[in-house]
Amino acid sequence: MSTSRLLAASFAPLLDFVYPPRCPACGSAVGEQGGLCFECWDELVIPSDPCCESCQRPFGDRGPGQGATCAVCLAHPPVHDGIAAATLYTEVSRKLVLALKHGRRIALAPMLARLIAARLPDPDDSRVIVPVPLHRRRLWQRGYNQAVLLGRQLEKAGHGTMQVDALLRTKPTPSLGGLGRKARARALSGAIGVNPRRRMAIAGRDILLVDDVLTSGATSTACVKALKRAGARRVTIACFSRVLDEALAN
């Protein structure tokens, strides 16, 4: 056991005494720090097969079989090379994302990253892990980029080598909620690009693009396009939660 883990184990009883472990989603008592209660675990929705061959959108029991392509990908072929989402966006996953992103609960990052890692292929340190970037103004306000925290944990688990500044958000963007496809594309036009100093690290490599939530896909699409313009071979999106209301209805 490493020195850091030994120290953490030694101080765990004192930490639990001062700060009794609570479920980060509902506040119920749990057995250890950073864990979810049984009820909240039960409410997490994990994507499953059969799913879309292109984007891993789960079809549900009434959909087509494995190897089919969903209607969304047929209408708008994706620029990415797959999506690895730990959960679908539900009330519990929303609470966890908000706690990490806005509640400064950075200690949640290891647990959320483990759930992402469970949806990835076997560890491969030849991949390059790239977090979705924040504009510096947003980074100053929040103090950290939650995608970087998740990416660091995936790096520790052997899923790639981190390039924290491979992508840059060169201008602030408004909230994309409520905007149509074309309006979202206009808002993100020229907002995200590859850091010139990291082009050699990107060219010809398999990329793991990391974020906390995948909603409309506009931001991730802008990131994927920038990475592929810089010569990336494949770009897979890895996120904790994915907004798919129609999948939850199946």
Side-chain angles (χ1 to χ4, degrees):
M1 182 181 292
S2 66
T3 302
S4 60
R5 289 186 178 181
L6 183 61
L7 287 172
S10 300
F11 283 102
L14 178 60
L15 178 64
D16 289 350
F17 177 77
V18 178
Y19 300 105
R22 300 283 180 179
C23 174
C26 71
S28 298
V30 293
E32 62 181 20
Q33 300 288 346
L36 289 178
C37 69
F38 175 80
E39 288 78 10
C40 288
W41 272 116
D42 194 49
E43 290 183 24
L44 286 179
V45 179
I46 309 298
S48 60
D49 295 334
C51 63
C52 172
E53 188 175 46
S54 294
C55 76
Q56 289 72 57
R57 178 187 299 267
F59 290 134
D61 296 336
R62 293 171 291 176
Q66 193 68 16
T69 300
C70 71
V72 175
C73 288
L74 288 174
H76 304 283
V79 295
H80 61 69
D81 298 286
I83 298 173
T87 68
L88 299 187
Y89 198 71
T90 62
E91 182 62 19
V92 171
S93 60
R94 182 186 74 86
K95 288 179 179 178
L96 293 173
V97 166
L98 291 178
L100 174 66
K101 182 184 292 188
H102 300 298
R104 299 186 178 275
R105 301 286 297 276
I106 62 175
L108 288 174
M111 180 185 72
L112 304 193
R114 284 196 299 271
L115 290 171
I116 296 172
R119 303 289 297 169
L120 294 173
D122 292 337
D124 180 357
D125 59 11
S126 69
R127 295 191 199 97
V128 178
I129 298 174
V130 176
V132 171
L134 290 179
H135 186 262
R136 61 180 180 274
R137 185 184 305 167
R138 185 73 56 82
L139 187 59
W140 290 338
Q141 291 171 345
R142 188 173 300 163
Y144 58 91
N145 180 351
Q146 68 279 357
V148 172
L149 299 180
L150 295 172
R152 289 291 186 201
Q153 296 299 319
L154 293 175
E155 182 181 42
K156 288 180 181 179
H159 286 283
T161 301
M162 185 80 152
Q163 289 288 346
V164 68
D165 60 346
L167 287 175
L168 301 175
R169 194 178 288 252
T170 56
K171 68 178 184 179
T173 53
S175 172
L176 303 181
L179 298 180
R181 181 182 295 271
K182 291 183 178 179
R184 292 195 299 266
R186 285 196 298 269
L188 287 163
S189 178
I192 296 174
V194 169
N195 186 337
R197 294 180 299 171
R198 302 290 179 249
R199 285 186 175 272
M200 291 296 293
I202 297 300
R205 304 291 293 277
D206 287 354
I207 309 296
L208 207 57
L209 179 67
V210 179
D211 205 0
D212 55 345
V213 179
L214 180 66
T215 50
S216 69
T219 300
S220 61
T221 295
C223 291
V224 172
K225 287 181 176 180
L227 290 165
K228 291 203 168 182
R229 283 196 299 268
R233 191 172 74 91
R234 292 174 56 86
V235 182
T236 300
I237 300 168
C239 61
F240 170 66
S241 195
R242 182 180 184 184
V243 178
L244 283 179
D245 292 340
E246 77 281 8
L248 294 174
N250 287 333

